Structures are given as structure tokens and as C-alpha cells.
């Protein structure tokens, strides 16, 4: 990946991902690789042993961390096909990938690293059998795990707790989205306002617009404007104006 570096693109990415002093991506370093190029590397390296992922995830380079995370996505998805959903060996391997993902969650330290991986690893895992719960009821265990992310002091863990619900909403379960949208309603950071609004919009589109409207009737008056604007983006213009004018 270092041999593919592009100086002009590197500077563009550093501006785009807000790496300046005081910005959310402060200090992050880039090689200058566009995502399709990183995906080509992932395709060639998709069978790299999981034991080698920490070396990639601890890299100084943003794109190398993304590469490691996307290899984990590829391996998880291969183990999550219908015929392997209840296979004991596949369950164990999925749990192993999820555990490593959470262990190195802070290394997914920008919104793209979270958004390209949280739904496909954490969100998908929420819908599948796990051996991690032990004797505890599975849903309770999973709620506790995502709650811990939501209550973390790390912005990227918090974003994971919200963005992972894209997958659960796609599969028709709105409860995860509604739970964490309410939990993050008063989050101070703009990146979380966008994430919550985005996931509410997707929940409305994938599950029920009436559920989204019910949520807005309860909370529109206290939602940050960016969050509200994202949530109503797919509604008719007249309805959007009504919600934005909500007292």
C-alpha cells in the first residue's frame, strides 16, 4: 500500500477528513489511496489470518487501517451466509472477529472507518447466533454490549453504536435504531447528530415512516437541527418544512 501512495490525493484526503489542529481527525495520516484502490488490496489479501489484523489496525496510515477493517468485514460476511448461520465453527469465528473489532475500535478513528464496517460486522452480528452470551439471554447480552459502546467516552465507539443499526433496520428490526437514537439525542458532536438523523431516516425508509413520525412527534422539539434535517430528508418537501418549523 505504501508503494501506491499519491501525494496530491494525500493532501486532499487530509483536508476532507479534517486532520488539522482541533478538528475531529487531528493528526491522522494518509497515503493518498482512494477507497476503490484499497478495496483492490483487500480483495487480494482477504484470506490474511486474523492474527495479522492488529498489525494493520495499529498502522499510522488511515488506508492501511481501513484495509485491515475491510478484510475483517470480508471474512465475517463469508461466515454469515445462510447455510453457516447456526454452524458452531462459524459462530465461533464470527465472535472472534467481533471481539477483535471491538478491542481495536478506537483505531477506526474517523467516520468512514466506522461507517464502512460497523453495520457489516457489529450490526450483522446482532442478527446472528453467538456463543459469547454464555448462559445469559442473547438479546440482553447484545444490548449490554452495544450500550457499553454508546456510553463510552470515545466518539468512534459511540458512532459504532448508532451506525450499526443500519443493518438491523435493513432486516426489519427498528428497536435498535430507536433505542440508540434516543440515547444519543443530546450528544454534543455534529458527527453524532448526522449519524442519528441518517439512521432514523434509514429506519423510516426500511421499516416504517409512521415509526419515524412517532419518534419525531416525541423528540423533534429537542433534536439538533442537523439531526432533524437528516432524519426527514426523504419526506415530501411540505412535510419537511413542517418538521423544521416545529416549535
Amino acid at each position: 500500500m505504501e508503494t501506491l501512495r499519491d501525494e496530491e490525493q494525500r493532501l486532499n484526503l487530509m483536508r476532507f477528513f479534517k486532520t488539522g489542529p482541533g478538528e475531529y481527525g487531528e493528526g491522522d495520516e494518509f497515503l493518498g489511496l482512494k477507497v476503490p484502490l484499497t478495496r483492490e488490496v483487500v480483495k487480494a489479501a482477504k484470506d490474511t489470518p486474523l492474527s495479522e489484523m492488529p498489525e494493520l489496525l495499529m498502522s499510522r496510515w488511515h488506508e492501511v487501517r481501513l484495509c485491515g477493517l475491510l478484510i475483517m468485514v470480508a471474512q465475517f460476511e463469508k461466515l454469515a451466509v445462510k447455510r453457516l448461520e447456526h454452524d458452531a465453527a462459524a459462530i465461533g469465528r464470527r465472535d472472534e472477529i467481533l471481539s477483535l473489532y471491538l478491542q481495536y475500535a478506537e483505531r477506526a478513528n474517523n467516520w468512514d472507518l466506522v461507517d464502512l464496517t460497523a453495520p457489516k460486522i457489529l450490526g450483522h452480528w446482532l442478527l446472528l447466533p453467538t456463543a459469547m452470551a454464555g448462559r445469559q439471554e442473547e438479546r440482553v447480552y447484545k444490548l449490554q454490549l452495544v450500550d457499553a459502546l454508546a456510553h463510552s467516552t470515545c466518539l468512534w465507539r459511540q458512532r459504532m453504536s448508532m451506525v450499526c443499526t443500519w443493518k438491523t433496520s435493513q432486516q426489519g428490526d427498528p428497536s435498535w435504531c430507536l433505542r440508540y437514537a434516543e440515547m444519543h439525542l443530546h450528544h454534543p458532536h455534529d458527527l453524532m447528530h448526522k449519524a442519528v438523523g441518517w439512521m432514523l431516516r434509514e429506519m423510516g425508509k426500511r421499516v416504517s415512516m409512521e415509526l419515524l413520525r412517532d419518534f419525531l412527534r416525541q423528540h423533534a422539539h429537542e433534536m439538533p437541527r442537523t439531526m432533524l434535517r437528516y432524519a426527514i430528508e426523504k419526506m415530501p418537501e411540505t412535510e419537511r418544512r413542517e418538521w423544521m418549523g416545529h416549535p
Side-chain angles (χ1 to χ4, degrees):
M1 293 186 79
E2 289 182 353
T3 68
L4 299 171
R5 63 189 302 159
D6 180 324
E7 183 63 16
E8 182 180 352
Q9 181 67 10
R10 184 183 75 83
L11 295 174
N12 291 336
L13 290 171
M14 288 177 67
R15 285 190 293 270
F16 183 71
F17 286 107
K18 308 295 185 186
T19 62
E23 295 181 309
Y24 60 75
E26 180 177 358
D28 203 357
E29 297 186 73
F30 289 79
L31 291 168
L33 278 63
K34 293 183 179 180
V35 172
L37 187 53
T38 298
R39 287 191 182 278
E40 285 297 312
V41 178
V42 171
K43 187 176 179 180
K46 64 182 184 299
D47 296 322
T48 303
L50 199 61
S51 60
E52 294 188 26
M53 290 306 104
E55 184 176 354
L56 299 178
L57 300 179
M58 291 304 295
S59 172
R60 63 186 284 197
W61 303 115
H62 183 104
E63 297 93 335
V64 175
R65 297 196 302 279
L66 176 59
C67 180
L69 290 164
L70 290 179
I71 289 172
M72 292 167 67
V73 167
Q75 294 184 2
F76 189 96
E77 289 183 329
K78 189 175 180 181
L79 293 160
V81 294
K82 196 72 175 175
R83 66 181 178 82
L84 294 178
E85 279 188 9
H86 298 279
D87 179 83
I91 291 172
R93 289 284 290 154
R94 293 196 304 259
D95 286 349
E96 187 181 359
I97 293 170
L98 186 276
S99 296
L100 188 68
Y101 181 71
L102 296 179
Q103 182 182 347
Y104 287 90
E106 279 86 352
R107 302 302 295 164
N109 60 343
N110 215 310
W111 56 265
D112 63 317
L113 302 178
V114 172
D115 297 357
L116 290 171
T117 60
K120 294 182 177 181
I121 296 178
L122 176 57
H124 203 166
W125 177 85
L126 293 174
L127 298 164
L128 295 166
T130 177
M132 292 171 68
R135 296 182 180 179
Q136 193 173 4
E137 200 275 318
E138 269 194 23
R139 186 173 176 88
V140 172
Y141 176 83
K142 290 173 178 178
L143 283 169
Q144 291 174 348
L145 185 147
V146 185
D147 281 0
L149 292 173
H151 292 303
S152 167
T153 57
C154 173
L155 173 63
W156 310 116
R157 286 180 178 269
Q158 293 167 353
R159 190 171 171 102
M160 283 178 181
S161 73
M162 193 67 243
V163 177
C164 75
T165 69
W166 195 1
K167 186 70 174 182
T168 51
S169 292
Q170 283 178 340
Q171 297 303 310
D173 184 351
S175 63
W176 299 92
C177 175
L178 295 172
R179 178 183 182 86
Y180 296 106
E182 194 160 16
M183 200 173 288
H184 292 304
L185 203 61
H186 301 292
H187 197 287
H189 204 291
D190 182 64
L191 282 178
M192 287 302 295
H193 300 170
K194 292 175 180 177
V196 174
W198 171 30
M199 289 303 105
L200 284 170
R201 182 184 76 220
E202 290 300 312
M203 185 279 297
K205 183 171 71 173
R206 303 283 183 166
V207 184
S208 166
M209 289 300 290
E210 280 311 305
L211 270 180
L212 173 56
R213 291 185 179 103
D214 285 345
F215 185 92
L216 295 176
R217 279 190 280 269
Q218 294 179 60
H219 298 294
H221 66 282
E222 57 183 334
M223 292 170 71
R225 305 303 282 177
T226 298
M227 186 186 296
L228 178 58
R229 191 163 57 249
Y230 271 60
I232 64 176
E233 192 173 39
K234 297 300 181 182
M235 292 181 175
E237 184 179 353
T238 53
E239 186 175 4
R240 292 202 307 271
R241 284 202 299 266
E242 288 174 8
W243 285 116
M244 291 305 292
H246 203 282

